[in-house]
Amino acid sequence: MGAEPDFVLEIDCLGSCLYVRGVDADGTALPVLMRGAGLAYAAAVRQALAEVGYDDLPRDGAFVLSVIAPPGVPLGTVIERLGISKQAAGALVDKLADRNYLRRVADPWDRRQHRVRLTARGADAAAVIRGAVEQIDAKLVARVGEEYLAHTLATLTTLIADA
């Protein structure tokens, strides 16, 4: 029999338990910390966008604008990175296009495919998003140092790559 888990999160669903190993000094599981970190970034991004009048972005809109920031990203790449159904991603892209954050263009090499490009409004919003993220990153560096932040990024990149 294996060693006892470092942390046990009980789930009422069918009386089962989820065992999580990665915990912080207070015993908080890594997935809980990652969710909290994501929420902290999301709140900062939403606040920065609202301050400059971009308060009409739908849920996941800021993420889409960040993914599309490199010019002419294939629509399939956006859908894949969102991790949602094609229908939901299509509806989100439609909303962003209706609100003048992006536009769909035909792929010049494959007429069956579409690409999405930022409008001027979308590019400006993407810059605001990037600035908000950079501010949080700078605060993190000030609190924990560049080396710890680099280790965190490497760890999360590995986790995502191995998923």
Side-chain angles (χ1 to χ4, degrees):
M1 188 136 167
E4 287 292 313
D6 297 316
F7 181 82
V8 177
L9 175 63
E10 291 189 32
I11 310 257
D12 289 333
C13 179
L14 302 174
S16 62
C17 291
L18 172 67
Y19 296 94
V20 182
R21 285 212 172 269
V23 298
D24 74 353
D26 296 328
T28 304
L30 184 58
V32 174
L33 293 172
M34 290 188 310
R35 178 170 162 64
L39 292 172
Y41 273 97
V45 165
R46 284 231 174 259
Q47 180 180 348
L49 288 166
E51 287 173 0
V52 293
Y54 297 134
D55 56 353
D56 63 338
L57 269 175
R59 185 169 188 249
D60 290 330
F63 178 78
V64 171
L65 295 183
S66 298
V67 171
I68 297 173
V73 173
L75 188 53
T77 300
V78 174
I79 292 169
E80 180 183 312
R81 290 185 183 170
L82 271 171
I84 59 178
S85 72
K86 288 182 181 181
Q87 293 81 7
L92 178 57
V93 168
D94 288 344
K95 274 186 192 175
L96 291 168
D98 290 345
R99 296 175 187 179
N100 196 30
Y101 286 105
L102 58 84
R103 61 188 171 90
R104 292 177 189 223
V105 295
D107 187 318
W109 299 280
D110 185 351
R111 291 185 179 180
R112 297 168 297 165
Q113 301 293 320
H114 285 92
R115 293 181 176 266
V116 284
R117 295 186 192 245
L118 296 177
T119 61
R121 183 174 196 237
D124 189 49
V128 171
I129 294 164
R130 201 168 31 259
V133 169
E134 288 171 357
Q135 282 185 342
I136 291 179
D137 289 349
K139 287 178 185 176
L140 285 171
V141 168
R143 294 210 44 203
V144 301
E146 224 167 288
E147 188 175 346
Y148 277 118
L149 183 57
H151 284 276
T152 301
L153 293 172
T155 300
L156 294 174
T157 301
T158 301
L159 175 65
I160 293 165
D162 289 348

